Amino acid sequence: MSLVLRNIIRRCPWTIINKGSLRFWSSNGQFPSHPMGTEEYENQPRKSITELPDELTEHGIKPKFISGYETTKDGWEWVDNILFKSKIPEPPNHPTPSGWIPPNPILARQWPYFVDRDRFHSYALYVRILPVMLEYWLHEQHRYYLNIFRRRVEYDIYAQRTRRFSLLELISGDIWALDHDLKNYLTKRVELTNDKSKELPILSQVDEIKRHILIDGEYEEWVADFLKEKGF
Amino acid sequence: MIKSLSLTKIFRYCAIVRSIRYFESSSQSSTFSPESSTNSIPQQLPLIVSRQLEYPHIRYPSLQAWLETLGQKRDEKLGIVDLHPSIWQTSPRLDILYENIEWQKTYKTIDWAYTPPHHEYPNMRAKPWPQKGTGRARHKSRYGPQWKGGYKVNGPKGPTSFFYVLPKEKRIEGLCTALTVKLHQNDVHFVDSFDLPTHQPTYLQELSEDRFWGPSILFVDDTDIMPHNIMFACAKTEGFTLMPVYGLNVYSILKHTTLVLTIRALNKIEKKLLHALHSYDTQKDQPPPPPDEP
């Protein structure tokens, strides 16, 4: 028997083999090679390896359980603690020791814009490393996406690493006013520090359709302080 | 508390009432009775004045819309419905709307184009004319790629599918955007139920004309079992479609000019969308969700 056939039969439960619902490749290429993914295969009750007949196990050797087990219903809380839960718990209404601050709705209503929190009750602030579309000739531009090695990312010469951007999402209201206020705040912070990696002027890109602001540089901590001041 | 609508507006449309009670949806199966002239609206109005919303928004209060009926031709409002701003007052993401529509169009398409390769062509060995002496170009067979009616070397091979599944967050955001767009363009109407007094399609057509509901209307109910009268009326009218909540999609919402929802459908849609917006679900780790309540 060929290696391929042997491997297929090894992985198939015996019920399907006996029923004869296996289909192999034909020369036309019309049938699927393996019933994995079909309903009748996937919904089979899974049996342990010990219950398989000897012909379908490797070299005719079957593992055997050495120790027994006993079932209890105590201690479910320890299991429940570890299980994944899709429901996100509601946070408290006071600041937590980790530095998390709840939003202030009274303060947030003053401004003509509003920055919402994500489903985990955190700021929608992210770091981005963006690619650069090099200037290819027109007849070569399709090659950019085909050639993975030539895909380049913006590089910051002074910092000697890839250029980072900070992204602020989930904005509603007047984006341009937010952009104006953000830039003023960040320029003030930059003037206070003597860090040469932070350059002036602060460049930003406003996307009205996607409702986000992209700032050139890593200003996440300062943007978070700005959002805390505004009560978002 | 109602802030956006004044009391005078409510009294103009609704009867004065002493006690307000929440609306308990009545799923009475309407009998096939063309001569029934009973008024399907109950005596006590308004039916709804407020609605409890899950996951209240920090910044924006709930929106409000009228509750109307299909039970009579006269446009009488039965109450006010609260709408959640996360669904009905989003900043509309037109790029995600476009992606949803493109997905709905292309994920079902299969390109059946097939050009057979050279080994599926007949009689490849015959040389059309001798190599030398005739004055014509030298050819090995009549079915080469340069010949008319010849095989193609790198042509389309077999059915190719364009199936892909758009990420869940984009589909949810697309639905929310479509609903906000419809609401703020005055194309959404909320109705207590789809119980009609007659099965005649002219009743529904004249009703929609009087109220300036567009040529195509999408009626959405929570289950796929609809009353007989509206089923008959929509089957005979071009442009009216009945749909359960599980069939709601961006393409249909934008294709039909107006959208008519029942209160039960609204509850179900809001519950599903809000739970999806405020939970973290990885499909691999989670068991399938429990079956929906009727």
Side-chain angles (χ1 to χ4, degrees), chain B residues 204-220:
Chain B
L204 201 58
Q205 288 164 14
E206 284 164 13
L207 187 151
S208 61
E209 275 181 36
D210 292 340
R211 299 184 190 185
F212 301 102
W213 292 2
S216 55
I217 306 176
L218 183 64
F219 295 96
V220 181

Side-chain angles (χ1 to χ4, degrees), chain A residues 63-80:
Chain A
K64 288 169 192 171
F65 280 116
I66 296 161
S67 63
Y69 56 90
E70 114 191 358
T71 52
T72 57
K73 298 205 174 173
D74 300 329
W76 169 250
E77 56 207 26
W78 300 106
V79 177
D80 201 34

Side-chain angles (χ1 to χ4, degrees), chain A residues 84-88 90 103-105 108-109 111 113-114 116-117 119-120 171-173 209-211, chain B residues 55 57-61 86 91-95 169 172 275-282 285-286:
Chain A
F84 181 90
K85 280 163 194 168
S86 62
K87 196 195 166 186
I88 294 162
E90 278 187 32
N104 191 349
R109 274 164 210 259
W111 318 109
Y113 41 80
F114 178 70
D116 201 0
R117 303 247 180 146
R119 61 188 76 198
F120 302 106
I171 299 163
S172 46
I209 289 163
K210 294 188 183 177
R211 314 300 298 182
Chain B
Y55 307 106
H57 203 274
I58 294 161
R59 170 73 177 81
Y60 301 115
S86 292
S91 304
R93 289 286 303 260
L94 303 175
D95 58 330
E169 296 87 33
I172 289 160
H275 278 239
L277 284 167
H278 291 271
S279 68
Y280 183 61
D281 231 349
T282 56
D285 301 335
Q286 289 300 300

Side-chain angles (χ1 to χ4, degrees), chain A residues 13 65 69 110 118-119 142 159 166-167 173 185 187 212 232:
Chain A
F65 280 116
Y69 56 90
Q110 297 173 14
D118 63 3
R119 61 188 76 198
H142 67 280
S166 33
L167 181 72
Y185 179 85
T187 44
H212 69 59
F232 293 135

